[in-house]
């Protein structure tokens, strides 16, 4: 039976935490908008990890998307808000830092159950997770540069997971990576049939629950030092670059075009 722990978390409906015993399910919950991160969801993603760490009953986290998409990345209207508001841009980047730091420093192991496309910020959330299960209907892509943006949130995690040259290719071009290729590249653990994804993620989480908690947490944090050491280096440079690029003519034009396409298609 699913326990109700939502009252323990200071979160909006756009990001929901549910419980299966000591397993916490983090649900990206804007299905009508392909779980694209608007301002409210982005803010919530910046603080959920410390709340999970403070949840005494939690042992493992499973993160997934509502509906058929994991996350389409940043919401285009939210991007326009950042274009229009210089102060908001700075807050958005501070939240992005909190998302990256929160995922890296949360002592609970995080399993990404990628139920559909994971794009931009969605892709970053996946790659910053500890274990990744991809459905056979999913793909990964980080098209920040196509939007005129430096990939500040999770882009700098790529070289630690795959080769530097491959990271450059897929970040420079933003091409889609099908699930089988993502496993081959070292970006995910395995591919699972869409109908079996959550069952497999919960089975994996149940196995992690049985691992001694303190030792597991310290092992995760030690392993994540390979990335944490870059928070003040590669990540910081990328965050600064993303902040600057939010006001660039290329980004402004890309957002306008994306919003026009979105209006035309009803998304």
């Amino acid at each position: 039976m699913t326990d109700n722990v939502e009252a323990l978390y200071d979160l909006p409906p756009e990001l929901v935490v549910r419980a299966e015993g000591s397993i916490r399910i983090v649900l990206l919950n804007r299905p009508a908008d392909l779980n694209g991160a608007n301002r409210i969801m982005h803010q919530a993603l910046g603080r959920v990890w410390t709340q999970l760490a403070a949840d005494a009953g939690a042992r493992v986290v499973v993160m997934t998307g509502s509906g058929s998409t994991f996350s389409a990345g940043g919401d285009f209207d939210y991007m326009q808000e950042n274009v229009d508001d210089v102060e908001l841009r700075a807050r958005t980047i501070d939240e992005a830092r909190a998302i990256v730091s929160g995922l890296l420093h949360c002592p609970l192991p995080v399993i990404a159950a990628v139920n559909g496309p994971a794009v931009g910020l969605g892709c970053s959330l996946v790659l910053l997770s500890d274990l990744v299960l991809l459905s056979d209907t999913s793909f990964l892509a980080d098209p920040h540069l196509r939007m005129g943006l430096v990939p500040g949130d999770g882009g700098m995690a790529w070289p630690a997971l795959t080769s530097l040259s491959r990271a450059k290719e897929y970040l420079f071009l933003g091409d889609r990576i099908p699930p089988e290729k993502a496993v081959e590249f070292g970006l995910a653990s395995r591919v699972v049939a869409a109908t079996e994804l959550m069952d497999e993620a919960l089975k994996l989480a149940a196995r992690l629950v049985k691992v001694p908690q303190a030792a597991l947490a310290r092992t995760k944090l030690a392993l994540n030092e390979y990335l944490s050491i870059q928070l003040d280096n590669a990540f910081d440079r990328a965050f600064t670059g993303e902040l600057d690029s939010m006001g660039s003519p290329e980004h402004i034009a890309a957002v306008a075009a994306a919003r026009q396409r979105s209006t035309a298609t009803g998304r």
Side-chain angles (χ1 to χ4, degrees):
M1 180 180 293
T2 301
D3 305 316
N4 182 8
V5 298
E6 293 181 37
L8 300 176
Y9 289 81
D10 175 26
L11 297 171
E14 289 82 353
L15 190 69
V16 176
V17 177
R18 296 175 180 156
E20 292 276 354
S22 57
I23 300 167
R24 297 295 177 262
I25 299 171
V26 174
L27 185 68
L28 307 174
N29 194 36
R30 299 187 71 227
D33 298 287
L34 305 180
N35 298 321
N38 61 1
R39 188 194 306 196
I40 294 172
M41 180 188 280
H42 201 261
Q43 290 170 343
L45 283 166
R47 63 179 185 268
V48 67
W49 310 107
T50 54
Q51 294 182 31
L52 285 160
D55 183 345
R59 294 288 300 274
V60 182
V61 178
V62 175
M63 177 168 49
T64 194
S66 179
S68 61
T69 302
F70 182 81
S71 173
D75 179 87
F76 295 135
D77 288 341
Y78 180 36
M79 290 185 189
Q80 186 63 52
E81 291 176 42
N82 279 294
V83 165
D84 296 336
D85 189 336
V86 175
E87 293 183 0
L88 178 61
R89 294 178 207 167
R91 292 197 297 273
T92 295
I93 293 300
D94 286 343
E95 290 160 11
R97 292 178 192 271
I99 292 169
V100 173
S101 179
L103 269 160
L104 293 180
H105 295 148
C106 178
L108 305 177
V110 178
I111 300 168
V114 188
N115 56 304
V119 180
L121 174 61
C123 182
S124 295
L125 293 173
V126 170
L127 299 188
L128 291 165
S129 297
D130 300 303
L131 299 172
V132 177
L133 302 185
L134 297 176
S135 83
D136 54 9
T137 61
S138 70
F139 64 81
L140 304 179
D142 193 332
H144 271 80
L145 270 74
R146 291 185 185 177
M147 295 299 296
L149 289 173
V150 176
D153 41 33
M156 299 307 107
W158 284 68
L161 302 173
T162 187
S163 69
L164 181 59
S165 61
R166 185 168 283 145
K168 289 177 179 178
E169 176 183 357
Y170 283 93
L171 289 174
F172 288 178
L173 298 174
D175 289 343
R176 295 182 179 185
I177 304 176
E180 295 81 6
K181 280 288 184 186
V183 173
E184 178 187 331
F185 291 168
L187 301 174
S189 302
R190 64 180 185 266
V191 182
V192 179
T195 55
E196 300 172 6
L197 179 68
M198 280 306 293
D199 285 344
E200 288 299 310
L202 291 172
K203 287 177 184 176
L204 181 56
R207 291 182 62 192
L208 288 172
V209 166
K210 297 177 182 178
V211 178
Q213 184 175 12
L216 177 58
R218 295 190 69 170
T219 300
K220 168 187 169 162
L221 297 177
L223 288 168
N224 276 358
E225 279 302 305
Y226 286 96
L227 286 171
S228 295
I229 198 171
Q230 292 297 335
L231 286 173
D232 294 328
N233 297 291
F235 278 104
D236 185 68
R237 177 166 291 204
F239 284 133
T240 301
E242 185 168 14
L243 178 61
D244 292 343
S245 61
M246 282 179 172
S248 69
E250 295 86 356
H251 180 58
I252 292 170
V255 171
R259 294 180 77 210
Q260 186 174 21
R261 289 194 303 270
S262 179
T263 299
T265 60
R267 289 184 178 262

